[in-house]
């Protein structure tokens, strides 16, 4: 048996023993009474009775062990032309002061703090400062609309909000303070104080009696020590976009989270203490929580905090430039970032201008890693490119090829096999297992392993109803796909993205895989549109590679023929259009559901998470040219 097979079998056979052994890599103030407390199933609790502090595990213990002069965090901001290094000792000093500043504002164990900040070091400092004193942080993506921020304020009821005067996007400055002021005015919950980091690009006027200048606040604070909490106490709340308008606050505990992240850094990403790890994400998303902030610091790595974009800051070589500059060992990004680079540099020539000899592996997640993009990255970088799959709810990878345990063979289009502790199955609507290779709903047998969410903030019943009711005994991932005869999972689409064409259930991801394999296509999106005869038919939107100057109609004819050849006439794929860009969330997810509503002329609202609203105008033009999208404006959000 391989190391991976041995680990997976061990976790399945005796999960208590497996996770107790994994927990040796965490410093506990008091050990647990029970590894898994299932007395209130399905509300499972890991390491019940244990006492711990997350900040101590991420900072103090490394300084005490002699790692204090190693870089903990490197802030690289091509948008502002800034690079700053923070050693573990320096970061600890800043965090202790910020924690003391929070305590001086009346924040204590269990109190909530909202962090509404751009990608600056103070965002990481804020998270760790909350963890240090047992407060519960909730990071809201900087620049989120006032209404969306207000719903999170009302749900989390924070004592304090930590924010900044502005964020900086390519070519524009986004003032945060007006959004923050409006959100507080809209919310029913009363916020005691706002601490504002003034950025020189757009300083903000402060409201006397409520707002505090960050620099003055941190300078005046007395350093705070670590407050021990229960392993089952919440570390943070992270809100995800729901369909009901009701905020969905994912809760993360302290103990199980530490154990899972420590295990994943060593065994999935395969990085050793002292090595440089870069997750090119945002602190507003789960990747930023797990693998910019907590995971790398817990493991004694140097973490990169990147304020920029994969293209345009300044060019499509930004990623390779940073890998060389900071001697990155392992990187994590989204497939959509690679597709953006590939669109600008189809032959991958720019990477050859940099010394990437220390670079060992690239992991991708967030959107399905289509085979064409993965192969392009493999050719361009000459290292393993590993697609893996997980969710905000789980907090760490569900399925992945495990670098630290020795890679098994890659199958393009698959995120591999499940991580230890995850019993992943594919079932039909009656929760019955389907045959190998047959598409169904992807579910995970309960209990979920350490690190996964125990509930939704303040909404136990909604947790049970949304995730545990449709498939009793399982967690519903909301994704659809299949497991092949070798045990590899293929995540093809969200369950909502499976379309029904004249009674045939088709995965949009399978059609996207075909379109993405065309030589002129940089990226694509497929979604179902209403059809009076077949119920639904697939429609494709494609972005072409830079420099493509062929007639669009000719390319579309080839795409239709490709789908007919590789999937068959049953797909009924006859319509595609070329667009300059695809509409995406700030985390890189393509907004297929919104495009479908526009195409069908159904009511739709501008998504709060959209990166660039103008992309939907481009989509509307293309859809109308294809005979869809009767004129309709977005409804007020």
């Amino acid at each position: 048996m391989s190391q991976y097979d041995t680990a997976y079998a061990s976790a399945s056979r005796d999960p208590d023993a497996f996770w107790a052994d994994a927990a040796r890599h965490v410093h506990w103030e008091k050990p647990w009474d029970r590894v898994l407390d299932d007395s209130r199933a399905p509300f499972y609790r890991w390491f019940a009775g244990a006492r711990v502090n997350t900040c101590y595990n991420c900072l103090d213990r490394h300084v005490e062990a002699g790692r204090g002069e190693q870089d903990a965090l490197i802030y690289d901001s091509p948008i502002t032309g800034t690079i700053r290094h923070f050693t573990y000792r320096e970061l600890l000093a800043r965090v202790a002061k910020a924690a003391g500043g929070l305590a001086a504002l009346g924040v204590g164990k269990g109190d909530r703090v909202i962090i509404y900040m751009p990608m600056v070091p103070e965002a990481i400092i804020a998270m760790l400062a909350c963890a240090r004193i047992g407060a519960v942080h909730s990071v809201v993506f900087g620049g989120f609309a006032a209404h969306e921020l207000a719903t999170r304020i009302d749900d989390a009821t924070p004592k304090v909000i930590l924010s900044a005067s502005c964020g900086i996007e390519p070519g524009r400055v986004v003032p945060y303070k007006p959004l923050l002021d409006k959100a507080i005015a809209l919310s029913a919950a009363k916020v005691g104080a706002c601490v504002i980091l003034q950025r020189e690009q757009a300083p903000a006027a402060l409201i006397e009696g409520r707002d505090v200048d960050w620099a003055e606040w941190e300078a005046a604070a007395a350093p705070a020590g670590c407050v021990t909490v229960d392993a089952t106490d919440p570390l943070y709340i992270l809100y995800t976009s729901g369909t009901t308008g009701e905020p969905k606050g994912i809760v993360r505990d302290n103990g199980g989270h530490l154990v899972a992240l420590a295990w994943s850094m060593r065994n999935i990403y395969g990085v050793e203490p002292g090595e440089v790890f870069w997750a090119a994400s945002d602190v507003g998303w789960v990747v930023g929580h797990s693998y910019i902030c907590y995971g790398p610091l817990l493991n004694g790595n140097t973490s990169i905090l990147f304020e920029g974009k994969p293209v345009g800051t300044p060019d499509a070589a930004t990623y390779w430039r940073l890998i060389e500059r900071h001697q990155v060992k392992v990187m994590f990004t989204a497939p959509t970032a690679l597709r953006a680079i590939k669109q600008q540099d189809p032959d991958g020539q720019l990477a050859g201008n940099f010394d990437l000899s220390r670079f060992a592996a690239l992991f991708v997640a967030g959107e399905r890693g289509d085979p064409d993009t993965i192969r392009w990255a493999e050719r361009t970088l000459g290292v393993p490119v590993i697609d893996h799959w997980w969710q905000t709810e789980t907090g760490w990878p569900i399925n992945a090829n495990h670098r630290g345990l020795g890679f098994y063979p890659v199958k393009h289009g698959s995120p591999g096999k499940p991580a230890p502790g995850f019993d992943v199955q594919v079932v039909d609507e009656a929760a019955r297992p389907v045959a190998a290779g047959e598409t169904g709903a992807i579910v995970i047998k309960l209990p979920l392993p350490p690190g996964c969410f125990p509930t939704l903030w303040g909404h136990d019943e909604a947790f049970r109803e949304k995730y545990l009711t449709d498939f009793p005994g399982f967690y519903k991932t909301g994704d659809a796909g299949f497991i092949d005869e070798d045990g590899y999972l293929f995540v093809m689409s969200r369950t909502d993205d499976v379309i029904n064409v004249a009674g045939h259930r088709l995965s949009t991801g399978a059609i996207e895989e075909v379109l993405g394999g065309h030589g002129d296509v940089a990226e694509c999106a497929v979604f179902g549109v209403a059809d009076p005869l077949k119920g639904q038919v697939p429609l494709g939107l494609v972005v072409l590679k830079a420099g493509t100057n062929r007639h669009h109609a000719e390319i579309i004819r080839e795409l239709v023929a490709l789908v007919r050849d590789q999937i068959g006439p049953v797909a009924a794929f006859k319509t595609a259009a070329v667009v300059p860009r695809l509409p995406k969330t700030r985390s890189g997810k393509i907004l297929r559901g919104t495009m479908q509503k526009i195409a069908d002329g159904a009511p739709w609202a501008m998504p709060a998470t959209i990166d660039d609203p103008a992309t939907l105008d481009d989509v509307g033009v293309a859809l109308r040219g294809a005979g869809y999208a009767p004129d309709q404006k977005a409804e007020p959000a």
Side-chain angles (χ1 to χ4, degrees), residues 46-111:
W46 286 93
F47 304 103
R51 306 272 292 165
V52 72
N53 183 275
T54 292
C55 181
Y56 179 88
N57 274 278
C58 289
L59 298 178
D60 302 67
R61 70 170 180 156
H62 296 311
V63 174
E64 292 169 9
R67 203 176 284 282
E69 305 317 309
Q70 176 198 313
D71 280 345
L73 188 69
I74 300 174
Y75 168 57
D76 193 315
S77 170
I79 281 187
T80 62
T82 305
I83 299 174
R84 289 163 61 193
H85 294 247
F86 299 81
T87 66
Y88 271 92
R89 192 180 309 281
E90 290 166 343
L91 188 58
L92 172 57
R94 293 283 310 271
V95 167
K97 292 272 279 181
L102 286 171
L105 292 173
V107 176
K109 179 179 168 182
D111 290 333

Side-chain angles (χ1 to χ4, degrees), residues 253-266:
D253 67 8
N254 277 271
H257 178 248
L258 285 168
V259 173
L261 290 191
W263 194 92
S264 71
M265 291 300 297
R266 296 189 321 278

Side-chain angles (χ1 to χ4, degrees), residues 177 180-181 184-185 191-196 207-212:
K177 190 60 166 40
L180 175 62
D181 291 341
I184 292 173
V191 178
C194 297
V195 182
I196 308 298
I207 296 174
E208 192 172 346
R210 187 198 74 187
D211 296 346
V212 181

Side-chain angles (χ1 to χ4, degrees), residues 270-308:
V271 285
E272 297 294 328
E275 293 181 332
V276 181
F277 184 86
W278 177 21
S281 181
D282 191 282
V283 291
W285 310 126
V286 69
V287 175
H289 284 59
S290 294
Y291 296 115
I292 297 177
C293 183
Y294 291 115
L297 298 179
L298 173 63
N299 198 49
N301 296 114
T302 299
S303 183
I304 306 288
L305 182 75
F306 172 64
E307 188 181 30

